[in-house]
Every structure is written in C-alpha cells, then in structure tokens.
Amino acid sequence: MKKTSFIIMITLLILGTAISPKKLHADASVPMIDGFVIEADKVEGVMGIPGIINGETATQKNKLMLRLTFSKATIYGLTITKVLNTPNGPVTIQFKSTGPVGINQYGS
C-alpha cells in the first residue's frame, strides 16, 4: 500500500511540475486539474528503473503515466495541493510537511 501510494505521488509530482502552484487558488479562471499537485524541494533515495504504465485517474481510464519507484526515500519540503470544484466555486486544499518525510518500500 505504501509503495503504491508513493508511486502515485511521485507520478503526480512529475506531471504536476507543469502547473505553477501560484495559479492554484479559488478563482473561476483556474481550470480544474485531475488528481493532486505534489511538490518537493528535494528527494533523496534509491530509485528503481523508470517505466511507462497504463493507469487511471479519477476522471480518465487508460492514461499513460511515468512510474518511478524508490526502495527507500526521504522527501524534503513536501507540499500536496488539491483543487476541488464545489457548487460555490473552486476550493484549494493544501497539505505541507513540517519536516522530512521518510518512505520505505518494506514498511519498516
């Protein structure tokens, strides 16, 4: 479960780099994005071989994605942003880590 979550997180991080976080705010002119925007100041770890997979998002099936795997990693400056479309307009939810986030494929 942790490995899958981390793979999804890193994939979205790479895809989200094209979107400027300064443009993610509750404004009608902001387009809704599929998934999360994940940013990090730095990622250190042991990375596996990148691959292309056929995955799905909340709104799209059979979407080609870049898959990055890490057996162990430390993420510094992690920020996760989600823009939700509500009846009252877009709402931005943002989570920021207060310190390094450790990921271990083997759950220890």
Side-chain angles (χ1 to χ4, degrees):
M1 181 70 172
K2 288 182 181 181
K3 179 180 177 183
T4 302
S5 298
F6 186 69
I7 291 168
I8 292 169
M9 185 172 67
I10 293 299
T11 301
L12 294 174
L13 172 67
I14 292 169
L15 295 175
T17 57
I19 301 170
S20 170
K22 291 181 175 46
K23 293 182 181 177
L24 295 175
H25 54 82
D27 183 308
S29 65
V30 176
M32 293 299 106
I33 57 171
D34 190 23
F36 296 84
V37 174
I38 301 173
E39 301 172 89
D41 294 333
K42 177 172 66 170
V43 178
E44 294 178 344
V46 179
M47 187 169 135
I49 298 171
I52 302 292
I53 62 167
N54 191 17
E56 63 182 66
T57 68
T59 60
Q60 298 178 15
K61 295 185 185 285
N62 299 321
K63 179 96 174 157
L64 288 179
M65 299 179 188
L66 177 64
R67 180 179 188 174
L68 300 177
T69 59
F70 287 82
S71 59
K72 186 176 182 180
T74 303
I75 304 169
Y76 299 90
L78 177 64
T79 301
I80 302 172
T81 305
K82 174 69 176 173
V83 179
L84 299 170
N85 193 10
T86 71
N88 295 325
V91 174
T92 300
I93 300 171
Q94 193 171 66
F95 299 94
K96 292 185 177 187
S97 66
T98 57
V101 177
I103 304 291
N104 188 331
Q105 173 180 333
Y106 304 106
S108 57

